[in-house]
Amino acid sequence: MEATTVKAKDTFSGGVHPADNKQLTAHKPTVTAAIPKRAIIPLSQHIGAPTKSIVVIGQEVKKGEKIGETAGFVSAPVHASVSGKVVALGNFPHILGMDIPAVVIESDGKDEWIGGLKENPGYLTLSPDELKKLVADAGIVGMGGATFPTHVKLSPPKEKPIDVVILNGAECEPYLTSDHRLMLEKSKEIVEGLKILMRILNVSKGYIGIESNKPDAIEAMTKAAAGSPEVKVWPVKVKYPQGAEKMLIKAIAGRTVPAGGLPMDVGVVVQNVGTAEAIYNAVRYGRPLVERYVTVTGRGVREPKNFLARIGTPFSQLIEEAGGLTDTAAKVISGGPMMGMSQYTLDVPVIKGTSGITVLPKNEVNTNSYGPCIRCGRCIDACPMKLQPSYLGLYIEKGHYEDAKAYNLMDCFECGSCTFVCPANRPMVHWVKKAKKELAKKKN
Amino acid sequence: MEAPALVQAKEQPKLIVSIGPHMHDEESTAKIMWTVSGALIPASLMSVYYFGMPAVMVILVCLVTSLLAEAGMQWLLKKPITLSDGSAFLTGLLLALNLPANAPLYIPFVGSVVAIMIAKHLFGGLGYNIFNPALVGRAFVLVSFAKIMTTFVAPVTTFMALDAKTTATPLVILKEEGIARLLEIYHTKAALYQDLFVGNRAGSLGETSVAALLLGAAFLLMKRYITWHVPIPFIATVGILTWIFGGHDGLMTGDPLLHMMSGGLILGAFFMATDYVTGPSVRSAQIVFGICAGALTVLIRLKGGYPEGVMFAILLMNCFAPLLDRAMRSRVFGKAEAKGVKK
Amino acid sequence: MKDILKITLPLVAIFVVAGIIMSVTYRYTYPVRYQAEKKEKEEALKEMAPDATDPIKVAGTWSADNKSYEYYQATAGGKPVEYIAETAGKGYSSFIKMLVSLSPDMKIREVKILDMNETPGLGDQVLEKSFLDQFKGKVLSQIVLIKGETKENIQAVSGATYSSRGVTNGVKAAVQLLVDKYGAGIKTAAQEVAK
Amino acid sequence: MWQHVLTIFIASALINNFVFSRYLGLCIFFGVTKRMETAVGMSFTFTAVMLIQAVLNWIIYTYVMVPYHLGFLKIVIFIGTVAAFVQAADTIMKKVAPALYYKLGIYLALIVTNCVILAVPLLNADENYGLFESMALALGSGLGFSLALIIMASIREKLELADVPKSFQGLPISFVLTGLIALAFLGFSGMITL
Amino acid sequence: MSNNVSLGTLFKNGIFGENPVFRLALSLCPAVAVTSGVKNGFLMGVAVLFVMTMTNVTVSLLRNFINPKVRIPSYVFITATWVTVIDLVMSAYQRTVYKEMGLYIMLIVAFAIILSRAEMFASKNKLLPSFVDGVGMGLGFLLALMLLGVFREFLGKGSFWGVQILPVKPLLIMIMPTGGFFAMGLMMGWLNWIDRKFFGGTGASSGGH
């Protein structure tokens, strides 16, 4: 994609500029992936309490039928993404790297929606509470990858009034283009979704933040939002991790989320553009979240593509549809290369938060061992949270977790910028994760 | 419950699993070290041009001893031997550039051994040393062999110069006999500046050619291997303070240009004060580091017993680097506001 | 009350005994130290003026750099054979204390460094005979430090200019003093040389 | 006169730094620099006590010991003064400023048998310094000592993470480190001749 | 420490196992300060040996006589007395050496090692063990100082006890303060290494008083 002529506005300090490689798929219109023969639908696709299965083996289900019931407020129901028969209940590989409970549905090929879906063209006249219930019932979670149940974000405590909603279309993660394509292809729906969000939160200011390296998306969204003066499309600087909530809020609203705080502390709610589209579908057509845009990319697949794929589609199927792995494919990542998670098996399914599958060939995989920290300070410059990752690394390496905590370990959101720039190849993110785990263990 | 193999890819490829990020910048420690070493090549060549064979010998002994000491120490400590990372090579080269050409060869030997074994490996090796190893090596031999280390030879133009004439460095002449004597030797200020710039003067190998050093420094700045935060405040402070206090006829009569181009300032400011390991890593602390090092240099040059203060200034600031880093830690994103909220 | 007594009495006893031990030691070591100090000085002076047969007497005190020093007259059979002055010069990191002896014709006979704390290896080269011997036979006007070759004057030790200057200045001050005091007849001669 | 006082002050803080060139107070220096807070607390306490001791002992030395020729008892008398002072300070602080006592009290106990404190009056007596010179020496030494403690503490925090060879961990490497700092401090030498 | 430890063990402990300088890391100041030459180290060691022994003996003799409430001041006073004695003697008979290290001789009074032996050992033991302990500790100190002195004087001046052995001064830095710290650090590290390697020890105390 051509470098942009769109003028980007404010940004944060720090950050890195990895090669984005988005040209692999950015111009490719989305294709609908085949309905998976067997959809593996994990019962936990979000942050919070896992759902409880409400189906039994052999049960016939329709597309959109609820198969996992919420087990708490911070939770989101799970729905069947295909129509067919439940053939297995058990632990299956999950992108987090472990086996967790999932429902396997064998498709009957009919792809029938469940009956009783209520279409509602006058959705904007519904009350905020009704809208929120629709969102909650549709099992919508943050689709940028955080997978935080959306209705929870939409229920801020009274003492924290919200006055700004931001849609996150920054897509700063290299390689991924699913949000980009979504913005081009479903711009109207996204704007409508934003309006619904604004209505739920009773907010009059809505922004759509897009990195300025996607001028076509900016144009499409601006066009879609033309009739809605309350919605503004906001180009932001191209820099990783511009799409992180706190960084985006800084760039667009000019507000700084306090350390350890949440966006709502400064009156902001951020949602992914994909989430907005899902919300629109849920509210307008009553359809639960059963499919999403997934980019399958990287030089490890033969034909990188953008897919509209059902939740539960195994990675192996999407990769096959993208021409299959190349001979040198060495690493399959769920998500982008910065924050995504590498997979040991292709049996893992697409879940609600899967924005892409990146396959790296051997020569792009860094297998060097790490060396001692030479204190070059690159990580300090790169850290968007203004932490000192070098010190975090040194402390954690030696097992001084408490000292790491004193160096603001808990403010790290593991964007990987430090590890990306480290000349000594030190695995800071790995250590931060480890330290957080150890500290949590100590607490219990 | 066992997971039945319901879905199976045609063949499961062997996949590499690791924790992200899965992309990496092209930089590496070795690349940085070798590039910095490379940036010192012009200065090394100039020193060979001016001091001939003895300079070659000093450089060679430093490099060989440093590498051997590194390998030996790592072998002794049962650590992997990492000569290829270039850090020992760089230390050796920097040390060589800090020695006079006429130094008997045991001096580069002792200096390198001290630099690598004591200043570097006793403290845990690369990344952990508190003081710049090359400067420790130099300070050690300076104190141990004070006389030899403060005797310099004039540049020669024949390669195999064996009995070069000893002479004082411009800074020593300036300190002990005043600017008038310097002008007597060089006739005009312009000629003096020119000789300083090109490197036609007595001094340590790397002290001589400002032009060659600046060339290397510009390359490193361009590659962003070093930043302006340390060297520019360092040199500027020296310039300003020597202008104010450096003159014999009262305040504001000093010659900043002369001071900025003399001694090891350019070498020290761009290549040694910028050492990642022994300097502060927070940007604001780096500026303070540079200013303080500059002030200490001037203090030692004008008031101290030694004619040249760059080495001591950097070593002294090395002591303070952890303190500076600690005191000037950047404020975490959103930290100040967090305090406000609590109130 | 009884307790306090119990604590105090032994303490007082210890104090008294300790006081006695220290006093006795002092009583017996003080003269030794005094004698040693005196002897040291005498020997040093004696070395400076080997021709003197009479005991060397303090002729007066003078001061330089706010510190006071003594000067002496050495005689043999009542006739002055040597004038000696204590002096000091500000060196690199310390005051260099010296003895300077002049023959009756106001030429330097000997310079001896008593005490100094200059940088080892650098400043302490002024202790070397080759440097100090330069002073021998020089008159006041010749005591000028030169960097570089010289026979007429004093050549600084290369690399130890500060310390060399300290010694030279100290010697010069002492010679000046002795010339002022005793060199009435010679002074003019010296001045002529200077011309 | 004042210039001399200033000279003594600077010389005792930097050039003749107690730790780096007079080798005094090493036990404390190595003992309390493992943590920054203790180093800072120690610095305050020591500087204050050194200053007070210098004045107190100067008075005793000048008005009692010199007139009565008791110079040879200076060791006993000085250490007695220090001990008495520390005892008194301990008692008074506990009553008057318990918060301060809680913070600095632990360091007070270390003072009685500490060469840094005792060295100040001994040096003053040796040099026959006047009151202001004595105070300059005490203050300069105190601040120089504090500087040494704080630098050392900050470096040791960094060193704690280093892969120091096993045999050198702890005291040996601290000694080498101190040697290197002393080497750097040589840069100050020659600035002032006392 | 109980009385059933044999005197020989006690003696050996002072010199090796609990060497005040290298093992207990006590009283380090003079170890660096006066060891630029063997002779200085030796004389300092002798002074400490004397004070150590005499203090131990005195405290042991008076242990039933001193009220525990005032024991620390008393011990300090006793130490100060013996330091004064050795100070006066040294200043009279060793003029040149005294000029260099007089201050450190006076500061023996503030040595933690002496007070701690008085408090921990002599005040609880009979005369003979206290004496042996004092001599052992003092000798340990003396040996440590001499070891450092030999090392530093040889490297720094190329001589031994003032007698020039080498024609040159190999590493002048070793007789300077910097070198003192280096020597001490390297020596300690080396002894630790020997201890770990051959005796399975854990190295010296990590510092303190």
PDB file of all heavy atoms in Angstrom, chain A residues 30 142-145 178-179 182 272 274 277 289-295 307-311 350-356:
ATOM      1  N   THR A  30     -12.328  -9.864   0.638  1.00  0.00           N
ATOM      2  CA  THR A  30     -12.562 -10.992   1.525  1.00  0.00           C
ATOM      3  C   THR A  30     -13.337 -12.097   0.820  1.00  0.00           C
ATOM      4  O   THR A  30     -14.262 -11.827   0.071  1.00  0.00           O
ATOM      5  CB  THR A  30     -13.370 -10.520   2.740  1.00  0.00           C
ATOM      6  OG1 THR A  30     -12.713  -9.390   3.272  1.00  0.00           O
ATOM      7  CG2 THR A  30     -13.480 -11.602   3.778  1.00  0.00           C
ATOM      8  N   GLY A 142     -14.656  -8.447  22.680  1.00  0.00           N
ATOM      9  CA  GLY A 142     -13.717  -7.591  21.952  1.00  0.00           C
ATOM     10  C   GLY A 142     -13.029  -8.372  20.851  1.00  0.00           C
ATOM     11  O   GLY A 142     -12.314  -9.341  21.124  1.00  0.00           O
ATOM     12  N   MET A 143     -13.246  -7.984  19.616  1.00  0.00           N
ATOM     13  CA  MET A 143     -12.767  -8.805  18.518  1.00  0.00           C
ATOM     14  C   MET A 143     -11.383  -8.409  18.019  1.00  0.00           C
ATOM     15  O   MET A 143     -10.844  -9.013  17.099  1.00  0.00           O
ATOM     16  CB  MET A 143     -13.781  -8.806  17.375  1.00  0.00           C
ATOM     17  CG  MET A 143     -15.022  -9.591  17.792  1.00  0.00           C
ATOM     18  SD  MET A 143     -16.371  -9.416  16.657  1.00  0.00           S
ATOM     19  CE  MET A 143     -15.795 -10.375  15.265  1.00  0.00           C
ATOM     20  N   GLY A 144     -10.798  -7.439  18.671  1.00  0.00           N
ATOM     21  CA  GLY A 144      -9.439  -7.064  18.300  1.00  0.00           C
ATOM     22  C   GLY A 144      -8.422  -8.064  18.820  1.00  0.00           C
ATOM     23  O   GLY A 144      -7.263  -8.038  18.466  1.00  0.00           O
ATOM     24  N   GLY A 145      -8.874  -8.957  19.684  1.00  0.00           N
ATOM     25  CA  GLY A 145      -7.962  -9.953  20.220  1.00  0.00           C
ATOM     26  C   GLY A 145      -8.031 -10.010  21.738  1.00  0.00           C
ATOM     27  O   GLY A 145      -7.672 -11.002  22.350  1.00  0.00           O
ATOM     28  N   SER A 178      -7.506  -7.855   8.442  1.00  0.00           N
ATOM     29  CA  SER A 178      -8.930  -8.196   8.539  1.00  0.00           C
ATOM     30  C   SER A 178      -9.766  -6.963   8.877  1.00  0.00           C
ATOM     31  O   SER A 178     -10.829  -6.745   8.286  1.00  0.00           O
ATOM     32  CB  SER A 178      -9.147  -9.302   9.563  1.00  0.00           C
ATOM     33  OG  SER A 178      -8.526  -8.981  10.780  1.00  0.00           O
ATOM     34  N   ASP A 179      -9.289  -6.135   9.790  1.00  0.00           N
ATOM     35  CA  ASP A 179     -10.035  -4.923  10.129  1.00  0.00           C
ATOM     36  C   ASP A 179     -10.050  -3.962   8.944  1.00  0.00           C
ATOM     37  O   ASP A 179     -11.041  -3.292   8.675  1.00  0.00           O
ATOM     38  CB  ASP A 179      -9.422  -4.218  11.345  1.00  0.00           C
ATOM     39  CG  ASP A 179      -9.702  -4.972  12.642  1.00  0.00           C
ATOM     40  OD1 ASP A 179     -10.532  -5.919  12.579  1.00  0.00           O
ATOM     41  OD2 ASP A 179      -9.107  -4.635  13.673  1.00  0.00           O
ATOM     42  N   LEU A 182     -12.528  -5.174   6.551  1.00  0.00           N
ATOM     43  CA  LEU A 182     -13.855  -4.994   7.135  1.00  0.00           C
ATOM     44  C   LEU A 182     -14.295  -3.541   6.962  1.00  0.00           C
ATOM     45  O   LEU A 182     -15.428  -3.252   6.603  1.00  0.00           O
ATOM     46  CB  LEU A 182     -13.812  -5.350   8.626  1.00  0.00           C
ATOM     47  CG  LEU A 182     -15.170  -5.372   9.325  1.00  0.00           C
ATOM     48  CD1 LEU A 182     -15.908  -6.648   8.967  1.00  0.00           C
ATOM     49  CD2 LEU A 182     -15.008  -5.271  10.834  1.00  0.00           C
ATOM     50  N   ASN A 272     -13.345  -2.475  19.141  1.00  0.00           N
ATOM     51  CA  ASN A 272     -12.774  -2.780  17.834  1.00  0.00           C
ATOM     52  C   ASN A 272     -13.834  -2.557  16.739  1.00  0.00           C
ATOM     53  O   ASN A 272     -15.034  -2.683  17.004  1.00  0.00           O
ATOM     54  CB  ASN A 272     -12.311  -4.233  17.858  1.00  0.00           C
ATOM     55  CG  ASN A 272     -11.688  -4.648  16.559  1.00  0.00           C
ATOM     56  OD1 ASN A 272     -12.343  -5.263  15.735  1.00  0.00           O
ATOM     57  ND2 ASN A 272     -10.439  -4.274  16.355  1.00  0.00           N
ATOM     58  N   GLY A 274     -14.485  -4.454  14.326  1.00  0.00           N
ATOM     59  CA  GLY A 274     -15.162  -5.728  14.135  1.00  0.00           C
ATOM     60  C   GLY A 274     -16.282  -5.905  15.149  1.00  0.00           C
ATOM     61  O   GLY A 274     -17.370  -6.413  14.845  1.00  0.00           O
ATOM     62  N   GLU A 277     -19.262  -3.979  14.126  1.00  0.00           N
ATOM     63  CA  GLU A 277     -20.024  -4.635  13.067  1.00  0.00           C
ATOM     64  C   GLU A 277     -20.868  -5.768  13.633  1.00  0.00           C
ATOM     65  O   GLU A 277     -22.025  -5.945  13.281  1.00  0.00           O
ATOM     66  CB  GLU A 277     -19.052  -5.161  11.996  1.00  0.00           C
ATOM     67  CG  GLU A 277     -19.723  -5.528  10.714  1.00  0.00           C
ATOM     68  CD  GLU A 277     -19.691  -7.025  10.438  1.00  0.00           C
ATOM     69  OE1 GLU A 277     -19.133  -7.789  11.260  1.00  0.00           O
ATOM     70  OE2 GLU A 277     -20.235  -7.431   9.410  1.00  0.00           O
ATOM     71  N   LEU A 289     -22.916 -13.802  17.423  1.00  0.00           N
ATOM     72  CA  LEU A 289     -21.587 -13.769  16.798  1.00  0.00           C
ATOM     73  C   LEU A 289     -21.153 -15.182  16.410  1.00  0.00           C
ATOM     74  O   LEU A 289     -20.840 -15.998  17.273  1.00  0.00           O
ATOM     75  CB  LEU A 289     -20.579 -13.163  17.776  1.00  0.00           C
ATOM     76  CG  LEU A 289     -19.131 -13.085  17.332  1.00  0.00           C
ATOM     77  CD1 LEU A 289     -18.989 -12.346  16.015  1.00  0.00           C
ATOM     78  CD2 LEU A 289     -18.309 -12.416  18.408  1.00  0.00           C
ATOM     79  N   VAL A 290     -21.204 -15.496  15.111  1.00  0.00           N
ATOM     80  CA  VAL A 290     -20.818 -16.841  14.690  1.00  0.00           C
ATOM     81  C   VAL A 290     -19.726 -16.820  13.638  1.00  0.00           C
ATOM     82  O   VAL A 290     -19.213 -17.864  13.246  1.00  0.00           O
ATOM     83  CB  VAL A 290     -22.025 -17.628  14.137  1.00  0.00           C
ATOM     84  CG1 VAL A 290     -23.033 -17.893  15.240  1.00  0.00           C
ATOM     85  CG2 VAL A 290     -22.676 -16.892  12.961  1.00  0.00           C
ATOM     86  N   GLU A 291     -19.393 -15.672  13.138  1.00  0.00           N
ATOM     87  CA  GLU A 291     -18.331 -15.636  12.133  1.00  0.00           C
ATOM     88  C   GLU A 291     -17.550 -14.333  12.267  1.00  0.00           C
ATOM     89  O   GLU A 291     -18.015 -13.393  12.906  1.00  0.00           O
ATOM     90  CB  GLU A 291     -18.932 -15.744  10.724  1.00  0.00           C
ATOM     91  CG  GLU A 291     -19.927 -14.644  10.423  1.00  0.00           C
ATOM     92  CD  GLU A 291     -20.652 -14.847   9.092  1.00  0.00           C
ATOM     93  OE1 GLU A 291     -20.490 -15.908   8.492  1.00  0.00           O
ATOM     94  OE2 GLU A 291     -21.369 -13.925   8.683  1.00  0.00           O
ATOM     95  N   ARG A 292     -16.376 -14.324  11.658  1.00  0.00           N
ATOM     96  CA  ARG A 292     -15.583 -13.115  11.733  1.00  0.00           C
ATOM     97  C   ARG A 292     -14.588 -13.061  10.573  1.00  0.00           C
ATOM     98  O   ARG A 292     -14.384 -14.042   9.879  1.00  0.00           O
ATOM     99  CB  ARG A 292     -14.855 -13.023  13.067  1.00  0.00           C
ATOM    100  CG  ARG A 292     -13.797 -14.111  13.282  1.00  0.00           C
ATOM    101  CD  ARG A 292     -12.766 -13.616  14.267  1.00  0.00           C
ATOM    102  NE  ARG A 292     -12.102 -12.423  13.715  1.00  0.00           N
ATOM    103  CZ  ARG A 292     -11.752 -11.372  14.424  1.00  0.00           C
ATOM    104  NH1 ARG A 292     -11.970 -11.329  15.715  1.00  0.00           N
ATOM    105  NH2 ARG A 292     -11.163 -10.349  13.846  1.00  0.00           N
ATOM    106  N   TYR A 293     -14.000 -11.869  10.385  1.00  0.00           N
ATOM    107  CA  TYR A 293     -12.970 -11.704   9.367  1.00  0.00           C
ATOM    108  C   TYR A 293     -11.646 -12.241   9.910  1.00  0.00           C
ATOM    109  O   TYR A 293     -11.258 -11.943  11.029  1.00  0.00           O
ATOM    110  CB  TYR A 293     -12.790 -10.221   9.024  1.00  0.00           C
ATOM    111  CG  TYR A 293     -13.747  -9.719   7.967  1.00  0.00           C
ATOM    112  CD1 TYR A 293     -15.108 -10.029   8.036  1.00  0.00           C
ATOM    113  CD2 TYR A 293     -13.296  -8.942   6.911  1.00  0.00           C
ATOM    114  CE1 TYR A 293     -15.978  -9.564   7.071  1.00  0.00           C
ATOM    115  CE2 TYR A 293     -14.158  -8.457   5.937  1.00  0.00           C
ATOM    116  CZ  TYR A 293     -15.517  -8.781   6.021  1.00  0.00           C
ATOM    117  OH  TYR A 293     -16.363  -8.332   5.062  1.00  0.00           O
ATOM    118  N   VAL A 294     -10.994 -13.055   9.103  1.00  0.00           N
ATOM    119  CA  VAL A 294      -9.707 -13.620   9.511  1.00  0.00           C
ATOM    120  C   VAL A 294      -8.727 -13.477   8.353  1.00  0.00           C
ATOM    121  O   VAL A 294      -9.043 -13.882   7.234  1.00  0.00           O
ATOM    122  CB  VAL A 294      -9.838 -15.120   9.868  1.00  0.00           C
ATOM    123  CG1 VAL A 294      -8.485 -15.690  10.276  1.00  0.00           C
ATOM    124  CG2 VAL A 294     -10.859 -15.330  10.966  1.00  0.00           C
ATOM    125  N   THR A 295      -7.584 -12.879   8.623  1.00  0.00           N
ATOM    126  CA  THR A 295      -6.554 -12.790   7.591  1.00  0.00           C
ATOM    127  C   THR A 295      -5.635 -13.997   7.723  1.00  0.00           C
ATOM    128  O   THR A 295      -5.153 -14.288   8.814  1.00  0.00           O
ATOM    129  CB  THR A 295      -5.710 -11.518   7.776  1.00  0.00           C
ATOM    130  OG1 THR A 295      -6.579 -10.411   7.865  1.00  0.00           O
ATOM    131  CG2 THR A 295      -4.755 -11.328   6.614  1.00  0.00           C
ATOM    132  N   PHE A 307     -10.368 -13.923   4.936  1.00  0.00           N
ATOM    133  CA  PHE A 307     -11.540 -14.805   4.941  1.00  0.00           C
ATOM    134  C   PHE A 307     -12.612 -14.257   5.851  1.00  0.00           C
ATOM    135  O   PHE A 307     -12.324 -13.575   6.838  1.00  0.00           O
ATOM    136  CB  PHE A 307     -11.171 -16.198   5.478  1.00  0.00           C
ATOM    137  CG  PHE A 307     -10.314 -16.985   4.534  1.00  0.00           C
ATOM    138  CD1 PHE A 307      -8.959 -17.147   4.780  1.00  0.00           C
ATOM    139  CD2 PHE A 307     -10.884 -17.572   3.407  1.00  0.00           C
ATOM    140  CE1 PHE A 307      -8.178 -17.881   3.910  1.00  0.00           C
ATOM    141  CE2 PHE A 307     -10.087 -18.313   2.542  1.00  0.00           C
ATOM    142  CZ  PHE A 307      -8.737 -18.472   2.788  1.00  0.00           C
ATOM    143  N   LEU A 308     -13.854 -14.594   5.477  1.00  0.00           N
ATOM    144  CA  LEU A 308     -14.939 -14.482   6.440  1.00  0.00           C
ATOM    145  C   LEU A 308     -15.152 -15.908   6.911  1.00  0.00           C
ATOM    146  O   LEU A 308     -15.604 -16.756   6.131  1.00  0.00           O
ATOM    147  CB  LEU A 308     -16.207 -13.928   5.779  1.00  0.00           C
ATOM    148  CG  LEU A 308     -17.439 -13.880   6.674  1.00  0.00           C
ATOM    149  CD1 LEU A 308     -17.209 -12.978   7.878  1.00  0.00           C
ATOM    150  CD2 LEU A 308     -18.656 -13.407   5.893  1.00  0.00           C
ATOM    151  N   ALA A 309     -14.775 -16.181   8.145  1.00  0.00           N
ATOM    152  CA  ALA A 309     -14.748 -17.579   8.577  1.00  0.00           C
ATOM    153  C   ALA A 309     -15.643 -17.778   9.791  1.00  0.00           C
ATOM    154  O   ALA A 309     -15.845 -16.895  10.601  1.00  0.00           O
ATOM    155  CB  ALA A 309     -13.318 -17.993   8.915  1.00  0.00           C
ATOM    156  N   ARG A 310     -16.192 -19.008   9.856  1.00  0.00           N
ATOM    157  CA  ARG A 310     -17.027 -19.371  11.004  1.00  0.00           C
ATOM    158  C   ARG A 310     -16.143 -19.562  12.232  1.00  0.00           C
ATOM    159  O   ARG A 310     -15.019 -20.083  12.124  1.00  0.00           O
ATOM    160  CB  ARG A 310     -17.763 -20.691  10.731  1.00  0.00           C
ATOM    161  CG  ARG A 310     -18.731 -20.642   9.596  1.00  0.00           C
ATOM    162  CD  ARG A 310     -19.904 -19.713   9.900  1.00  0.00           C
ATOM    163  NE  ARG A 310     -20.588 -19.335   8.673  1.00  0.00           N
ATOM    164  CZ  ARG A 310     -21.551 -20.078   8.138  1.00  0.00           C
ATOM    165  NH1 ARG A 310     -21.928 -21.194   8.701  1.00  0.00           N
ATOM    166  NH2 ARG A 310     -22.138 -19.683   7.022  1.00  0.00           N
ATOM    167  N   ILE A 311     -16.685 -19.175  13.381  1.00  0.00           N
ATOM    168  CA  ILE A 311     -16.019 -19.505  14.636  1.00  0.00           C
ATOM    169  C   ILE A 311     -15.949 -21.031  14.689  1.00  0.00           C
ATOM    170  O   ILE A 311     -16.933 -21.696  14.397  1.00  0.00           O
ATOM    171  CB  ILE A 311     -16.830 -18.997  15.852  1.00  0.00           C
ATOM    172  CG1 ILE A 311     -17.146 -17.517  15.728  1.00  0.00           C
ATOM    173  CG2 ILE A 311     -16.139 -19.330  17.169  1.00  0.00           C
ATOM    174  CD1 ILE A 311     -15.975 -16.610  15.734  1.00  0.00           C
ATOM    175  N   VAL A 350     -10.556 -21.263  14.897  1.00  0.00           N
ATOM    176  CA  VAL A 350     -10.753 -19.811  14.949  1.00  0.00           C
ATOM    177  C   VAL A 350     -11.727 -19.521  16.084  1.00  0.00           C
ATOM    178  O   VAL A 350     -12.734 -20.220  16.225  1.00  0.00           O
ATOM    179  CB  VAL A 350     -11.353 -19.331  13.601  1.00  0.00           C
ATOM    180  CG1 VAL A 350     -11.856 -17.904  13.731  1.00  0.00           C
ATOM    181  CG2 VAL A 350     -10.326 -19.461  12.492  1.00  0.00           C
ATOM    182  N   ILE A 351     -11.386 -18.551  16.891  1.00  0.00           N
ATOM    183  CA  ILE A 351     -12.344 -18.142  17.926  1.00  0.00           C
ATOM    184  C   ILE A 351     -12.718 -16.685  17.701  1.00  0.00           C
ATOM    185  O   ILE A 351     -12.274 -16.067  16.739  1.00  0.00           O
ATOM    186  CB  ILE A 351     -11.804 -18.378  19.350  1.00  0.00           C
ATOM    187  CG1 ILE A 351     -10.570 -17.525  19.600  1.00  0.00           C
ATOM    188  CG2 ILE A 351     -11.518 -19.847  19.589  1.00  0.00           C
ATOM    189  CD1 ILE A 351     -10.193 -17.425  21.056  1.00  0.00           C
ATOM    190  N   LYS A 352     -13.524 -16.170  18.608  1.00  0.00           N
ATOM    191  CA  LYS A 352     -14.063 -14.828  18.399  1.00  0.00           C
ATOM    192  C   LYS A 352     -12.960 -13.779  18.295  1.00  0.00           C
ATOM    193  O   LYS A 352     -13.121 -12.758  17.647  1.00  0.00           O
ATOM    194  CB  LYS A 352     -14.994 -14.456  19.557  1.00  0.00           C
ATOM    195  CG  LYS A 352     -16.271 -15.277  19.589  1.00  0.00           C
ATOM    196  CD  LYS A 352     -17.068 -14.973  20.862  1.00  0.00           C
ATOM    197  CE  LYS A 352     -18.321 -15.843  20.971  1.00  0.00           C
ATOM    198  NZ  LYS A 352     -19.004 -15.637  22.253  1.00  0.00           N
ATOM    199  N   GLY A 353     -11.833 -14.033  18.945  1.00  0.00           N
ATOM    200  CA  GLY A 353     -10.777 -13.033  18.940  1.00  0.00           C
ATOM    201  C   GLY A 353      -9.698 -13.262  17.890  1.00  0.00           C
ATOM    202  O   GLY A 353      -8.688 -12.582  17.896  1.00  0.00           O
ATOM    203  N   THR A 354      -9.898 -14.235  17.006  1.00  0.00           N
ATOM    204  CA  THR A 354      -8.851 -14.553  16.045  1.00  0.00           C
ATOM    205  C   THR A 354      -8.913 -13.603  14.853  1.00  0.00           C
ATOM    206  O   THR A 354      -9.730 -13.761  13.967  1.00  0.00           O
ATOM    207  CB  THR A 354      -8.993 -16.002  15.552  1.00  0.00           C
ATOM    208  OG1 THR A 354      -9.094 -16.859  16.683  1.00  0.00           O
ATOM    209  CG2 THR A 354      -7.790 -16.419  14.708  1.00  0.00           C
ATOM    210  N   SER A 355      -8.025 -12.639  14.846  1.00  0.00           N
ATOM    211  CA  SER A 355      -8.072 -11.676  13.750  1.00  0.00           C
ATOM    212  C   SER A 355      -7.244 -12.143  12.563  1.00  0.00           C
ATOM    213  O   SER A 355      -7.401 -11.633  11.465  1.00  0.00           O
ATOM    214  CB  SER A 355      -7.574 -10.309  14.228  1.00  0.00           C
ATOM    215  OG  SER A 355      -6.376 -10.477  14.937  1.00  0.00           O
ATOM    216  N   GLY A 356      -6.382 -13.073  12.800  1.00  0.00           N
ATOM    217  CA  GLY A 356      -5.597 -13.541  11.679  1.00  0.00           C
ATOM    218  C   GLY A 356      -4.772 -14.752  12.033  1.00  0.00           C
ATOM    219  O   GLY A 356      -4.631 -15.129  13.192  1.00  0.00           O
TER     220      GLY A 356
END
